[in-house]
Amino acid sequence: MECFDTGSFEREVAQQLASCGIDLAACPAAGVAVSGGADSICLLTVLHRIAPAGFVLKAVTVDHNIRSPEESGGDAAFVESYCRSIGVPCRRMVIPRGRVQELARMRGSGTEEAARVLRYECFERFSEEEQLSFLCLAHHRNDQLETIVMRFLQGGGTEALGGIPAVRGRYVRPLLPFPRSSIESYLAALGIPFRTDKTNADPAMLRNCIRTRIMPFLDREVPGWQTAALSLSAKMRDDDDALQELAEAAARTCAFRESGGVVRMSAAAFCRQPRAVRRRLLYRALSAVGARSRVPYRLVSAVLAELSAGQRWRGNAAGIVISCDGSDIFVQKEQKLATESGFFVIIKEVGVYAAGCWTVQVERSGNGIVLNAEGSPGSGSIYIEGFGFPFAFRSRQCGDVIRNASGSYTAVSKVLDGWKCGSRRDLVPVLQDLRDAGQQLVCIWGAAAGFENWIVKVQV
C-alpha cells in the first residue's frame, strides 16, 4: 500500500490558508473548533504542526448534550485529552441538556439546525473572549457536496447553491478542497485516532441520507457529477456576489430602514427592481425583523407576483406579515390577537383604526395630531404638537427606548415599572414616529390605561 505523504498534505493546507488571506506568522492567536471526529482532529493536528514560532493556537469543543452523557461527554473528554498531549489549550463549552430541543421547537426547525445555531453562538463567545484573529472549521469537500445536493433538494437559490464559503467573517475552512479519504489517510499515516458519531449514520436526517444513499448512487450512476456540482456552486457564488451588490444599491434606492421590529421601504422603488433583487430585499427584511423559522417561499412569491406600486396588499405566513398601504411596504412579525396583549397599526391618515383591544380615532388639529382611544384598559384623548403621518400606534416591544428631557434615553420597560403598571404594561400604547429613518418613540400614552403620560417634544 502506497504511503500517504503527510508533508505534502500539510503544505497544501498551508497554501489553502494563504489563499484565504491567512498569514499564521502575522496572527497573535487563532482558534480551531474540534468535535473529536476525523475532520476536526486532522485540522487541529495540521495547524499545530505547521504553526510558526510564536503562533498561539487555541481549541474549543462544544458538548451539545443531545446524545447520552457517555457519548457527548466522551467526545469532549477525548478532545481535551488529545489537546493536552500536543500542548494546545482547549476549552469545553457545554450546552444545557434539552436546550437544543427547546430551540428547535421555538424555531420550528430540526434538531440538527438548532444545534448548529447554538454551536455558532459558542464559537462567537469563544472567539471574542479569547481575542482570536480567526476560527478554523473542519468542513471538507464531501461536506461541500452534501450541502450543494441538500440545498438543491430544498429549492435553494444562488446563495444556497453557492455552498459553504471558504471564508465568512471570522470563520475559515482550510480543508474545504480536500476529500474525506485524504483526511482519514493523513490520520492513519500518523497513527492518530478519532471519534465516530453514531448519529451520522442515521438516514432519518436529510444530510445523512444524502451521504449514505444519494451520493453513493450518484457516484455509481452519474460519473463526473461531483466536478459538475462543484463547478455549478462556483458559478452560483459569482452570480450571488453580483446580485448582492445590486441588492445593496437597491436598499438605498428603496429607503430600506428598520426600527422597532418593523422594516419599511418605498413600494414604487421596490417594484422597479428586477425580480431577483426584490426577492433579496424581502429576505433581507425578514432577517432584520428576526424571522425565527423558515418563511415559506409562497409568501415571498406572492409579494413578487401580486404587489404593484399604488396597490394595497397583505399576506402572512410563519408568524411574519408583509403588507403594503399603497406607497410603502412593511415587514414585521405577526401581532397577537385582540384577545392577547400585543397590538400594532400604522396610521397614515385621518380615520378610525382598530389595534388589539383599542379603537383609535385620529384627527389633525393645528400643527399636530389628536388621538381619542377607547378600549378595555380605559379611554382618553391626547394631542401631540408637531406630530404627523405616518406613525405607529402599538404596544411596547423588547428594546424600546424613549428620549428624556436631557437628551438621553430611558428603557420603556423601566418607565412602565416606575408607573407600577404590572400586568397591564403591555396594554399601554406607545406612538412611534415613522417620518424619518430614526423612527423614534414620541409618546408613552399611559393615561389611556389609567397611568401617566411620557411625551417627547417633537422637532418641527
Side-chain angles (χ1 to χ4, degrees), residues 27 67 70 139 207 274 377 414:
C27 298
R67 296 171 290 147
E70 294 77 19
H139 297 95
R207 182 178 287 274
K414 184 176 181 179

Side-chain angles (χ1 to χ4, degrees), residues 217-292:
F217 171 81
L218 292 173
D219 288 339
R220 185 174 64 253
E221 302 294 338
V222 189
W225 79 269
Q226 293 191 10
T227 300
L230 292 172
S231 175
L232 169 67
S233 180
K235 295 171 187 174
M236 291 296 98
R237 283 195 296 274
D238 290 343
D239 289 353
D240 188 65
D241 287 344
L243 287 167
Q244 290 293 2
E245 287 188 16
L246 291 174
E248 286 292 330
R252 295 189 291 272
T253 301
C254 296
F256 184 107
R257 54 197 181 278
E258 186 273 334
S259 180
V262 180
V263 165
R264 180 186 179 194
M265 53 185 154
S266 164
F270 175 86
C271 291
R272 287 195 297 268
Q273 305 303 318
R275 181 182 174 92
V277 173
R278 282 181 281 147
R279 186 174 72 245
R280 278 162 177 75
L281 288 173
L282 289 175
Y283 279 120
R284 181 175 182 169
L286 293 169
S287 176
V289 301
R292 297 184 66 87

Side-chain angles (χ1 to χ4, degrees), residues 189 194 219 347 356 364:
F194 56 88
D219 288 339
I347 298 175
R364 277 197 177 278

Side-chain angles (χ1 to χ4, degrees), residues 76-395:
F78 171 80
V79 172
E80 291 175 322
S81 175
Y82 181 63
C83 285
R84 280 194 300 271
S85 73
I86 61 175
V88 173
C90 178
R91 179 172 168 185
R92 182 195 295 208
M93 304 187 78
V94 181
I95 297 172
R97 185 162 294 277
R99 178 71 180 104
V100 172
Q101 292 82 352
E102 177 189 11
L103 183 63
R105 287 193 297 272
M106 290 174 55
R107 294 171 59 92
S109 64
T111 300
E112 187 177 14
E113 170 63 16
R116 188 192 70 82
V117 170
L118 294 173
R119 179 167 64 252
Y120 274 84
E121 287 181 2
C122 290
F123 291 164
E124 286 293 316
R125 193 163 73 250
F126 173 72
S127 299
E128 291 291 339
E129 293 172 355
E130 299 294 335
Q131 299 182 325
L132 304 178
S133 301
F134 60 90
L135 182 69
C136 286
L137 305 180
H139 297 95
H140 50 79
R141 188 175 187 267
N142 295 61
D143 292 326
Q144 182 73 289
L145 288 164
E146 291 167 11
T147 298
I148 295 167
V149 173
M150 181 171 67
R151 291 177 177 173
F152 171 77
L153 295 175
Q154 293 172 332
T158 53
E159 181 180 11
L161 292 176
I164 305 169
V167 181
R168 175 174 286 169
R170 71 168 87 243
Y171 300 110
V172 181
R173 300 174 174 88
L175 295 185
L176 210 51
F178 303 96
R180 168 87 179 192
S181 57
S182 294
I183 288 168
E184 292 185 349
S185 295
Y186 174 79
L187 293 178
L190 294 176
I192 298 173
F194 56 88
R195 300 273 289 189
T196 300
D197 183 348
K198 296 177 182 177
T199 62
N200 287 340
D202 181 5
M205 296 182 181
L206 178 58
R207 182 178 287 274
N208 293 345
C209 179
I210 291 169
R211 179 188 306 123
T212 60
R213 296 182 179 178
I214 296 177
M215 287 177 59
F217 171 81
L218 292 173
D219 288 339
R220 185 174 64 253
E221 302 294 338
V222 189
W225 79 269
Q226 293 191 10
T227 300
L230 292 172
S231 175
L232 169 67
S233 180
K235 295 171 187 174
M236 291 296 98
R237 283 195 296 274
D238 290 343
D239 289 353
D240 188 65
D241 287 344
L243 287 167
Q244 290 293 2
E245 287 188 16
L246 291 174
E248 286 292 330
R252 295 189 291 272
T253 301
C254 296
F256 184 107
R257 54 197 181 278
E258 186 273 334
S259 180
V262 180
V263 165
R264 180 186 179 194
M265 53 185 154
S266 164
F270 175 86
C271 291
R272 287 195 297 268
Q273 305 303 318
R275 181 182 174 92
V277 173
R278 282 181 281 147
R279 186 174 72 245
R280 278 162 177 75
L281 288 173
L282 289 175
Y283 279 120
R284 181 175 182 169
L286 293 169
S287 176
V289 301
R292 297 184 66 87
S293 58
R294 188 169 305 209
V295 175
Y297 181 65
R298 64 175 174 80
L299 176 59
V300 174
S301 181
V303 176
L304 298 177
E306 300 174 23
L307 182 62
S308 59
Q311 173 190 358
R312 292 179 178 271
W313 192 90
R314 188 181 190 277
N316 66 293
I320 296 293
V321 176
I322 302 177
S323 61
C324 180
D325 61 6
S327 60
D328 288 311
I329 296 169
F330 299 91
V331 180
Q332 64 191 78
K333 288 185 178 179
E334 192 168 24
Q335 300 300 308
K336 298 177 181 179
L337 300 174
T339 54
E340 299 179 276
S341 58
F343 54 91
F344 188 106
V345 64
I346 293 172
I347 298 175
K348 298 201 67 176
E349 58 189 5
V350 169
V352 178
Y353 297 83
C357 58
W358 294 102
T359 299
V360 189
Q361 182 175 352
V362 182
E363 300 176 350
R364 277 197 177 278
S365 178
N367 190 38
I369 297 288
V370 173
L371 295 94
N372 293 282
E374 292 187 2
S376 55
S379 62
S381 178
I382 193 170
Y383 171 71
I384 303 181
E385 184 178 1
F387 201 32
F389 303 114
F391 65 91
F393 175 95
R394 64 173 175 83
S395 55

Side-chain angles (χ1 to χ4, degrees), residues 369-438:
I369 297 288
V370 173
L371 295 94
N372 293 282
E374 292 187 2
S376 55
S379 62
S381 178
I382 193 170
Y383 171 71
I384 303 181
E385 184 178 1
F387 201 32
F389 303 114
F391 65 91
F393 175 95
R394 64 173 175 83
S395 55
R396 72 176 186 93
Q397 296 174 354
C398 181
D400 275 344
V401 294
I402 193 164
R403 196 168 72 243
N404 299 309
S406 65
S408 61
Y409 288 84
T410 297
V412 171
S413 59
K414 184 176 181 179
V415 174
L416 298 176
D417 287 342
W419 292 348
K420 299 184 175 9
C421 294
S423 61
R424 305 178 78 191
R425 61 194 290 118
D426 290 332
L427 301 178
V428 175
V430 299
L431 304 180
Q432 181 181 8
D433 195 342
L434 302 180
R435 291 177 295 177
D436 56 38

